[in-house]
Structures are given as C-alpha cells and as structure tokens.
Amino acid sequence: MKFSMPACAWTVVLACAACSQGSQLPAPAAPASAPTAPATQAPLPAGAATTAATAATPTVPPIYLFDLLQRPDFVKALDALRGVQDLPDWVRQGGTATPVQVVQVDGRPMQLATACKPHDCPTERVALLYDAQDHAMWGLFAQRPEDLAPAVDPDDSSQDQLTWLGTPDERRKQLLHDALYMR
C-alpha cells in the first residue's frame, strides 16, 4: 500500500502527457547505454506504460447498424430482402446495436450487424448478415411475447417467433441464430 499514491500519481501524469502530446511528437529514443533505475526507485506501474503507448496509437471507431444504414449499397440490399417490409421502424433506425463484426462465410468476409428494440431488448432483436462484394443480405428477426415470464432464459429461442429475412442457407441460419442467442 506504500506505493499506491505514487503509482496513481505516475499513472495520471503519464496519461495526461500522452493525451496532450498525442501522436504529434515521437517518443525520445533511449541511448543504448542508458543507466538503469536505482534499486531504491519505485518502478512505474504496468498500466502507466500501456496507457501512454495506447493513447498515441490511432484506433478505428466501431461501426454499428446505424452506420451501415447510411450506406446506399446496404440500404438497397436491405430493401430487397424478403420480409423486411414487416419489420418495426426501429430496425431502419438502427435500434440499440452492438458493434458490427466481420465474419468469414465460405471464405468471404461479411458484416454481421445485431440490434434490438430500444429500451426493450428482450422482446425484439434482429441480426443482419451482409456480403458487401455481392450486395447480398440475409437476416433473422426474433420477437418474444411481451407477457412471457421474466425468468425465461434470454438465450432460449423456443419461446420466440423467428422470422427469416431472405433465404439464408443452413450455415447462414446458424450464424444469424447464434448472433442473437449465444453470449
């Protein structure tokens, strides 16, 4: 416990320095013959070095269903999907979504987007699988009866009405089902 306050102070100092410098200034290179720290000096906390290095590394922000709905190619594929006209409005608005995953199906990268009804995720969920190369899409919409007991397992699809969107093959059906029910 002796080093908890100094460790916290070092973490804050390094994090502030990393944020204020960003990636504009390169980190100074240590000379090959740099002396080692004296044995009496407290080592820097492990998180401090990670924080400084991570802050300077640019990251790609996650993509959500809402973001895909801004793309004309995605919307065109969605509009062509059999059964989509019966979906609630929140689907076309993006709902409450998790980040889009890139999955491999038959050796091809595809985008898997999942979302649910805002403020009521257990009752309505959707998963959409999009092949951007062929502009093909498949989906699964799950609707749970509102009067179902709260103790029902949210990962149990037996109580839900499942609506397949498009004509997914068995592999795509399993992928879409797992996206909604496997945690």
Side-chain angles (χ1 to χ4, degrees), residues 47-104:
T50 304
T51 304
T54 306
T57 305
T59 59
V60 177
I63 297 172
Y64 295 89
L65 177 57
F66 173 82
D67 300 312
L68 292 177
L69 289 166
Q70 307 307 306
R71 293 179 25 197
D73 61 318
F74 186 87
V75 172
K76 186 176 179 179
L78 182 63
D79 289 341
L81 202 57
R82 182 184 53 79
V84 76
Q85 64 277 3
D86 298 326
L87 295 180
D89 291 338
W90 67 259
V91 174
R92 290 206 173 265
Q93 297 163 359
T96 301
T98 58
V100 171
Q101 297 176 338
V102 176
V103 296
Q104 294 288 324

Side-chain angles (χ1 to χ4, degrees), residues 156-176:
D156 177 14
S157 64
S158 66
Q159 300 294 317
D160 293 353
Q161 177 184 349
L162 302 180
T163 304
W164 294 103
L165 307 169
T167 52
D169 61 16
E170 288 306 313
R171 173 181 267 169
R172 287 169 177 79
K173 279 185 176 182
Q174 188 65 52
L175 182 68
L176 290 163

Side-chain angles (χ1 to χ4, degrees), residues 148-154:
L148 204 58
V152 173
D153 181 5

Side-chain angles (χ1 to χ4, degrees), residues 34-46:
T36 58
T40 57
Q41 183 179 4
L44 291 178

